[in-house]
Amino acid sequence: MVKLNEQKLKLIFSEALEIDPEIINDELAYNSIAEWDSIAHMALVAEIDDQFDIMLDTDDVLDMSSFSKAKEILTKYDITFE
């Protein structure tokens, strides 16, 4: 289940940002690629909420600055990655 959550999150990033899943790693950061702008960020948040059946709070939305940070935030919602 742990690896599945990471794969699921990668797929969400790939689809929301319209990027190749191969370039998604822990270092991928907000505004580090043209595709991850403020509009795409909101699409990403909506898709994460939807796919993981959670509701990220405003602070989490603002703090989600990288793929690794997204995983860290999701652990607060009992979603495991390790």
Side-chain angles (χ1 to χ4, degrees):
M1 185 67 167
V2 171
K3 277 291 183 201
L4 287 176
N5 283 338
E6 182 147 359
Q7 290 172 337
K8 184 176 181 179
L9 188 59
K10 272 191 178 184
L11 186 60
I12 291 167
F13 266 74
S14 172
E15 290 177 356
L17 303 179
E18 298 179 357
I19 59 173
D20 186 332
E22 296 298 313
I23 69 166
I24 300 168
N25 58 43
D26 285 344
E27 284 74 46
L28 180 66
Y30 177 70
N31 275 336
S32 67
I33 57 172
E35 294 86 351
W36 194 354
D37 59 14
S38 59
I39 305 281
H41 189 74
M42 295 317 294
L44 178 61
V45 167
E47 199 59 28
I48 288 171
D49 282 352
D50 213 36
Q51 294 293 320
F52 285 104
D53 196 28
I54 59 172
M55 179 65 114
L56 294 169
D57 67 35
T58 304
D59 288 341
D60 291 334
V61 171
L62 296 173
D63 287 346
M64 193 186 317
S65 56
S66 66
F67 184 73
S68 66
K69 187 67 175 177
K71 292 190 298 186
E72 180 186 318
I73 288 167
L74 288 173
T75 61
K76 295 191 321 188
Y77 296 86
D78 296 326
I79 297 162
T80 55
F81 293 96
E82 296 178 13

